[in-house]
Amino acid sequence: YNVVVANVTEPSNFFHLLRRQLAWPFRKPLIVMSPKSLLRHPKVMSPISEFTKGGFREILADDFATPGKTKRVLLCSGKIYYDLKEEQLKSSRKDVAIVRIEQLFPFPETQLDDELARFKKAEVFWIQEEPANMGYWAFVLRTYLNTPMKLISRKPSASPATGYHKLHDEEQKDIINKAFDI
């Protein structure tokens, strides 16, 4: 527990992460894994009120899904959330909850347990856009043993990218379709 690793997806949460880092009475390295593309993504915005209230949230809960009727919980970290959210809103899927893991290390087990308790009968999936043998999946699988979960990602590969934008878009669409069981 001598380092903090985060993959932040909201400007206000990033602001509070930096504030927390400075407010701690001790020093600990902070590694932020967020991609630069989130800086210019049109949907990555926070209202001013979120900057002035609250603090850093290790996980961000889904406020769209209906807890009693949820069949699937999609755990993710990073920019894939915005693709998942777009599909959830487009198809009005209140039976699929999307939970973002903003802090990966130390892993927020207690907060995630509390969130998953809202969706008792739902099947849990880890969604990532990286190939199955890369990304956070192996770490989450070894670290979070409280809930069985399945992986939805690209097939294992020696390279993190396909090299073709068209193929990348097709694979991304396939991940989203599998996540929503389309």
Side-chain angles (χ1 to χ4, degrees), residues 65-132:
T66 308
K69 298 178 182 174
T70 302
K71 298 175 192 168
R72 285 181 165 218
V73 176
L74 308 178
L75 302 178
C76 65
S77 186
K79 68 179 187 169
I80 195 163
Y81 164 77
Y82 291 99
D83 294 336
L84 293 168
K85 189 66 176 177
E86 183 180 334
E87 179 60 35
Q88 183 188 39
L89 293 173
K90 185 175 80 174
S91 57
S92 296
R93 295 290 300 268
K94 290 191 174 273
D95 63 331
V96 177
I98 306 168
V99 178
R100 287 178 275 178
I101 311 294
E102 297 278 292
Q103 178 177 296
L104 294 151
F105 188 84
F107 196 80
E109 288 184 51
T110 307
Q111 295 93 323
L112 188 54
D113 286 342
D114 293 344
E115 183 60 24
L116 292 178
R118 293 177 52 213
F119 310 105
K120 288 182 173 81
K121 296 180 182 178
E123 199 173 10
V124 180
F125 291 87
W126 179 262
I127 312 297
Q128 68 180 29
E129 56 186 330
E130 296 86 8

Side-chain angles (χ1 to χ4, degrees), residues 5-170:
V5 180
N7 190 358
V8 186
T9 58
E10 284 188 353
S12 60
N13 215 26
F14 187 61
F15 171 74
H16 289 297
L17 173 68
L18 294 176
R19 283 187 64 220
R20 181 184 77 172
Q21 187 73 8
L22 291 173
W24 274 339
F26 51 87
R27 290 293 164 247
K28 184 186 285 197
L30 170 63
I31 301 166
V32 180
M33 307 291 279
S34 303
K36 290 186 300 186
S37 63
L38 283 181
L39 294 173
R40 57 187 175 273
H41 195 288
K43 297 209 165 124
V44 180
M45 296 171 59
S46 295
I48 298 286
S49 61
E50 286 187 16
F51 287 93
T52 58
K53 296 182 211 161
F56 178 68
R57 296 168 291 164
E58 286 87 0
I59 68 162
L60 296 176
D62 190 319
D63 55 355
F64 186 75
T66 308
K69 298 178 182 174
T70 302
K71 298 175 192 168
R72 285 181 165 218
V73 176
L74 308 178
L75 302 178
C76 65
S77 186
K79 68 179 187 169
I80 195 163
Y81 164 77
Y82 291 99
D83 294 336
L84 293 168
K85 189 66 176 177
E86 183 180 334
E87 179 60 35
Q88 183 188 39
L89 293 173
K90 185 175 80 174
S91 57
S92 296
R93 295 290 300 268
K94 290 191 174 273
D95 63 331
V96 177
I98 306 168
V99 178
R100 287 178 275 178
I101 311 294
E102 297 278 292
Q103 178 177 296
L104 294 151
F105 188 84
F107 196 80
E109 288 184 51
T110 307
Q111 295 93 323
L112 188 54
D113 286 342
D114 293 344
E115 183 60 24
L116 292 178
R118 293 177 52 213
F119 310 105
K120 288 182 173 81
K121 296 180 182 178
E123 199 173 10
V124 180
F125 291 87
W126 179 262
I127 312 297
Q128 68 180 29
E129 56 186 330
E130 296 86 8
N133 59 328
M134 298 179 193
Y136 303 121
W137 167 243
F139 173 74
V140 171
L141 187 62
R142 288 189 319 267
T143 305
Y144 188 65
L145 305 171
N146 302 358
T147 302
M149 66 178 86
K150 298 175 185 167
L151 171 68
I152 297 176
S153 71
R154 289 179 165 75
K155 63 183 177 129
S157 173
S159 171
T162 61
Y164 298 104
H165 187 67
K166 195 177 210 179
L167 183 57
H168 170 80
D169 289 344
E170 286 175 22

